[in-house]
């Protein structure tokens, strides 16, 4: 596969806004709908009666204005624009309790922001566990000066699906003792999967009787990707899973990875890709010459024992005469082959033209990820603090100087681990909860070391995909075991580390990243696994506090908690 046909190695990272930038405006109504995502009826969160939500197609520099009306009868809602940095508009980030209040039932809130950089992005609910209910969709930002050369493109939005409602899941996770929600019943490709049948059942013992038989307009029927021979296609892939790490393969075809989290990467060729919750990729696929076949596109579970069947759809050559592929789908790699996952991740480097990270940092956060108990409730903690987001949004508390809305004392920037054995359950399982934030001055360089450890019981350490709002960061490196200050820093890649907004923390290991506090605001940094965040696995970063106090933040974003009282009393003596 000749990469130079498809790729010009020099890229322009920052897109200059032009006078021709467009305004993309839409009105959305969010409500519950009965749906058949996996051929079994369930309840989804739909936007304008659509699941998944509508795809937003924009060009870098465009302004996006979305009027969101909450048609839910008993709960609030917000929309987070995953991968959009929200420069100058941190209140539009869509993180409940951090950048805005939830939109109340019957009310409308307007998100107004600029998509300043091309890339494959998505949006999703960020209140409670509404992402698990299907509140998500794609946000594709094209470049006015695209450096990739291809003939067509397809979007693949990957997700997992439970038959248990999110309210039941939230209650189970918050019970004493915790009731684990189990693995998802199905995996979905663009909102479509199959639970009680298989497209490929004729290769199994079940035979034809278990093959899916779809009716016209079935909401669970897969969408095939129709391609022509001897062409190059861009597959834009995003994972909005609530729990599952995934692997995607296209039968009989190689994939050239060219984009990760909205940033171009040095192209490399693979047979399949691992993708964690919150990550996005673009891969280039070259079709064969003069083919008239159908091929499987398979998505399977990685990182957890897979009690969930593969999701399947088809790569369908336009002149295909066969009714179905002649061979079984690709087999997903072993779920616990972590070395294979690391091997893929460590192949990702920035392409030429991207700036390297600053050589040194000004500050450092060391974040130990542990599973703990709080009054016999199971929690996830960072430096022994389980995050509890307050009712009053942090950004409003900082703007109006409200001192009692959250813990003013910052959590510890490090956790003394000289005697902490990350390979064993914690000797003291108890934790505390808190709502404190890490505050940084504007314009400094910060290193974050994420350290993984064993869970409460057994010999287990899980994969955690960590997502930072409002920023891209350089991934400096990964390591095994406990991080060694003064030693492991010498292994950092300071030449061509990739820019990402989501990064994997592997079992019993550490991940190091670096970012610049150049975007005044308050930003969530958390595990993107929905149950883990629900159970406290996150921190909040604030930067440029003096600039936040001068921002024009819409009152509608802050109409709850102590900010509501402040706004009601504005101008009164």
């Amino acid at each position: 596969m000749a990469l130079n046909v498809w790729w010009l190695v020099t890229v322009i990272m920052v897109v200059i806004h032009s006078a021709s930038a467009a305004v993309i405006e839409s009105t959305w109504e969010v409500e519950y709908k009965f749906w058949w995502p996996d051929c079994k009826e369930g309840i989804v969160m739909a936007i304008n009666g659509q699941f998944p939500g509508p795809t937003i197609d924009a060009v870098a520099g465009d302004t996006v204005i979305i009027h969101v009306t909450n048609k839910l009868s008993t709960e609030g809602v917000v929309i987070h624009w995953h991968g959009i940095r929200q420069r100058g508009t941190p209140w539009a980030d869509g993180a409940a309790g951090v950048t805005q209040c939830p939109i109340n039932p019957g009310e409308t809130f307007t998100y107004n922001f600029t998509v300043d950089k091309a890339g494959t992005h998505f949006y999703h609910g960020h209140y409670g566990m509404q992402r698990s209910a299907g509140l998500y969709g794609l946000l594709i930002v094209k470049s006015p000066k695209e450096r990739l050369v291809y003939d067509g493109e397809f979007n693949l939005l990957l997700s997992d699906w439970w038959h248990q409602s999110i309210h039941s899941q939230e209650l189970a996770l918050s019970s004493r003792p915790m009731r684990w929600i189990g693995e998802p019943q199905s995996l979905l490709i663009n909102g479509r999967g199959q639970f009680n049948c298989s497209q490929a059942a004729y290769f199994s013992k079940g035979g034809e009787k278990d093959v899916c038989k779809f009716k016209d307009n079935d909401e669970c029927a897969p969408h095939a990707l129709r391609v022509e021979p001897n062409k190059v296609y861009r597959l834009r892939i995003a994972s909005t899973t609530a729990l599952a790490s995934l692997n995607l393969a296209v039968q009989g075809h190689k994939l050239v990875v060219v984009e990760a989290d909205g940033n171009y990467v040095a192209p490399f060729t693979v047979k399949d890709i691992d993708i964690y919750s919150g990550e996005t990729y673009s891969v280039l696929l070259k079709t064969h010459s003069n083919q008239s076949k159908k091929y499987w596109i398979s998505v399977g579970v990685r990182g957890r024992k897979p009690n969930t069947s593969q999701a399947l759809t088809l790569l369908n050559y336009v002149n295909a005469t066969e009714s179905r592929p002649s061979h079984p789908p690709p087999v997903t790699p072993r779920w616990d082959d972590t070395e294979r996952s690391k091997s893929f991740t460590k192949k990702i480097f920035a392409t030429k033209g991207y700036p390297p990270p600053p050589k040194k940092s000004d500050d450092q956060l060391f974040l130990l990820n542990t599973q703990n108990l709080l009054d016999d409730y199971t929690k996830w903690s960072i430096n022994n603090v389980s995050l509890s987001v307050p009712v009053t949004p942090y950004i409003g508390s900082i703007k109006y100087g409200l001192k009692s809305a959250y813990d003013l004392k910052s959590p510890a920037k490090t956790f003394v681990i000289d005697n902490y054995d990350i390979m064993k359950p914690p000797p003291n399982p108890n934790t505390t909860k808190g709502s404190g934030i890490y505050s940084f001055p504007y314009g400094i360089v910060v290193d974050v070391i994420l350290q993984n450890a064993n869970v409460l019981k057994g010999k287990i350490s899980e994969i955690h995909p960590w997502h930072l709002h409002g920023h891209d960061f350089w991934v400096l490196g990964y390591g095994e075991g406990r991080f060694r200050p003064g030693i492991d820093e010498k292994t950092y890649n300071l030449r061509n580390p990739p820019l990402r907004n989501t990064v994997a923390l592997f079992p019993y290991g550490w991940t190091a990243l670096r970012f610049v506090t150049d975007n005044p605001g308050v930003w969530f940094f958390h595990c993107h696994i929905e149950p883990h965040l629900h159970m406290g696995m996150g921190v909040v970063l604030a930067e440029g506090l003096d600039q936040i106090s001068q921002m024009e933040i819409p009152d509608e974003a802050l109409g709850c908690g102590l900010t509501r009282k402040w706004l009601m009393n504005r101008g009164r003596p």
Side-chain angles (χ1 to χ4, degrees), residues 108-123:
T108 298
F109 180 80
T110 297
Y111 293 96
N112 187 330
F113 56 91
T114 298
V115 288
D116 63 335
K117 191 185 69 160
T120 303
H121 309 295
F122 61 99
Y123 61 85

Side-chain angles (χ1 to χ4, degrees), residues 327-498:
H327 294 87
V331 176
T332 304
R334 274 190 59 89
W335 68 274
D336 56 355
D337 187 356
T338 307
E339 292 306 313
R340 195 178 192 280
S341 299
K342 294 175 184 176
S343 175
F344 171 78
T345 302
K346 292 177 181 179
K347 292 176 182 177
I348 303 172
F349 299 101
T351 194
K352 294 180 180 179
Y354 277 80
K359 295 297 183 183
K360 297 181 180 180
S361 63
D362 303 303
D363 206 345
Q364 184 183 83
L365 282 180
F366 184 96
L367 304 179
L368 176 66
N369 294 233
T370 57
Q371 190 181 55
N372 303 92
L373 294 175
L374 179 63
D375 297 329
D376 292 327
Y377 292 97
T378 303
K379 296 290 184 181
W380 286 97
S381 301
I382 305 301
N383 291 349
N384 210 40
V385 177
S386 184
L387 180 64
S388 178
V389 176
V391 173
T392 305
Y394 289 104
I395 197 168
S397 299
I398 293 171
K399 176 175 175 57
Y400 296 119
L402 306 177
K403 303 294 186 181
S404 60
Y406 63 93
D407 300 335
L408 295 180
K409 183 180 179 181
S410 295
K413 286 188 174 181
T414 187
F415 188 80
V416 179
I417 63 167
D418 290 342
N419 298 315
Y420 192 99
D421 189 346
I422 66 168
M423 306 301 292
K424 297 179 180 179
N428 177 9
N430 297 315
T431 187
T432 60
K433 69 176 181 179
S435 60
I437 61 176
Y438 295 105
S439 297
F440 299 99
Y442 177 81
I444 70 167
V445 180
V446 178
D447 280 0
V448 179
I449 293 91
L450 295 164
Q451 175 70 64
N452 213 340
N454 204 86
V455 298
L456 268 171
K457 299 178 181 179
K459 181 70 173 177
I460 302 171
S461 183
E462 300 185 19
I463 293 176
H464 301 289
W466 273 77
H467 171 59
L468 177 59
H469 293 218
H471 292 276
D472 287 338
F473 49 74
W474 290 276
V475 182
L476 302 183
Y478 306 86
E480 307 296 327
R482 200 170 66 186
F483 183 83
R484 300 167 297 171
I487 299 175
D488 287 324
E489 289 96 336
K490 297 176 182 178
T491 68
Y492 286 174
N493 174 15
L494 300 178
R495 186 174 64 87
N496 60 349

Side-chain angles (χ1 to χ4, degrees), residues 231-385:
K231 300 286 186 181
V232 175
Y233 292 90
R234 179 178 189 168
L235 307 184
R236 295 181 180 268
I237 308 164
S239 174
T240 184
T241 55
L243 176 66
S245 302
L246 302 175
N247 178 271
L248 180 143
V250 181
Q251 186 180 46
H253 295 74
K254 294 182 179 180
L255 307 173
V256 180
V257 181
V258 292
E259 177 209 349
D261 292 354
N263 296 289
Y264 293 127
V265 300
F268 63 97
T269 303
V270 292
K271 294 181 179 179
D272 52 69
I273 70 167
D274 281 351
I275 180 167
Y276 303 103
S277 177
E279 291 187 327
T280 67
Y281 289 98
S282 280
V283 300
L284 296 179
L285 178 150
K286 186 175 183 180
T287 56
H288 305 310
S289 300
N290 302 317
Q291 281 282 1
S292 57
K293 294 185 177 181
K294 295 179 179 180
Y295 296 88
W296 294 112
I297 299 174
S298 68
V299 177
V301 172
R302 297 275 281 135
R304 302 184 64 86
K305 193 171 183 179
N307 295 321
T308 311
S309 299
Q310 285 182 316
L312 298 172
T313 190
L314 294 172
L315 186 75
N316 189 357
Y317 281 70
V318 292
N319 295 321
T321 55
E322 58 185 6
S323 61
R324 59 199 184 195
S326 56
H327 294 87
V331 176
T332 304
R334 274 190 59 89
W335 68 274
D336 56 355
D337 187 356
T338 307
E339 292 306 313
R340 195 178 192 280
S341 299
K342 294 175 184 176
S343 175
F344 171 78
T345 302
K346 292 177 181 179
K347 292 176 182 177
I348 303 172
F349 299 101
T351 194
K352 294 180 180 179
Y354 277 80
K359 295 297 183 183
K360 297 181 180 180
S361 63
D362 303 303
D363 206 345
Q364 184 183 83
L365 282 180
F366 184 96
L367 304 179
L368 176 66
N369 294 233
T370 57
Q371 190 181 55
N372 303 92
L373 294 175
L374 179 63
D375 297 329
D376 292 327
Y377 292 97
T378 303
K379 296 290 184 181
W380 286 97
S381 301
I382 305 301
N383 291 349
N384 210 40
V385 177

Side-chain angles (χ1 to χ4, degrees), residues 106-147:
E107 294 185 348
T108 298
F109 180 80
T110 297
Y111 293 96
N112 187 330
F113 56 91
T114 298
V115 288
D116 63 335
K117 191 185 69 160
T120 303
H121 309 295
F122 61 99
Y123 61 85
H124 60 81
H126 215 303
Y127 181 59
M129 292 178 60
Q130 291 178 344
R131 175 159 54 94
S132 293
L135 185 53
Y136 45 71
L138 284 164
L139 199 174
I140 306 300
V141 183
K142 304 290 181 63
S143 171
K145 297 181 180 179
E146 180 59 71
R147 301 290 167 147

